[in-house]
Amino acid sequence: MNDGGWITYTGSIPAFGEGNYKVGYRSTDLAGNVESIKTIEFKIDKTAPVLTVQLDNTSIWPANHKMVTIHATLNSSDAVSGVVSVVLTSITSNEPDSGQGDIGANIGTETTSFSLRAEKGRIYTITYTATDKAGNQSVTSAIVIVPHDQSGNH
């Protein structure tokens, strides 16, 4: 395994921990004939990817009922199998929709921009999900607020 010495197994092979593996194998029959070496390479990945979400604007002002475009910078990594996707999973609000469509986003896509309505007292939660090639996922959220006023208090 991984260019190490040969080990004779007569039963099943032990379980593998997380990592990258290159396994050479061959069989020997009862007459002592040895087949040519075959190899297989695989990765065991049990760890979710790392994901950070940074928004270009985390506070919308003025609260003028207009739609404001927000841009997200996504940084993801996965040491073993690699990241296959980072998707905008949801955008929620602490208040009911104003009836004008307060969230403009392509949920379920890899978009990095979306629009939010500048309504006083709103707290929007933006959630992205990173998935690695092994199917492990991590979920990261960021917040955008629309303050009641410019005092800094929400």
Side-chain angles (χ1 to χ4, degrees), residues 13 38 41 48 65 74 89 100 122 132 141:
I13 297 171
K38 297 179 173 99
E41 293 185 43
H65 314 289
L74 309 173
T89 311
Q100 301 174 43
R122 286 288 169 91
D132 68 17
S141 295

Side-chain angles (χ1 to χ4, degrees), residues 80-110:
V80 180
S81 65
V83 175
V84 70
S85 69
V86 179
V87 173
L88 176 61
T89 311
S90 68
I91 299 178
T92 59
S93 172
N94 66 325
E95 302 275 340
D97 190 272
S98 68
Q100 301 174 43
D102 297 343
I103 298 169
N106 291 321
I107 303 296
T109 70
E110 297 185 6

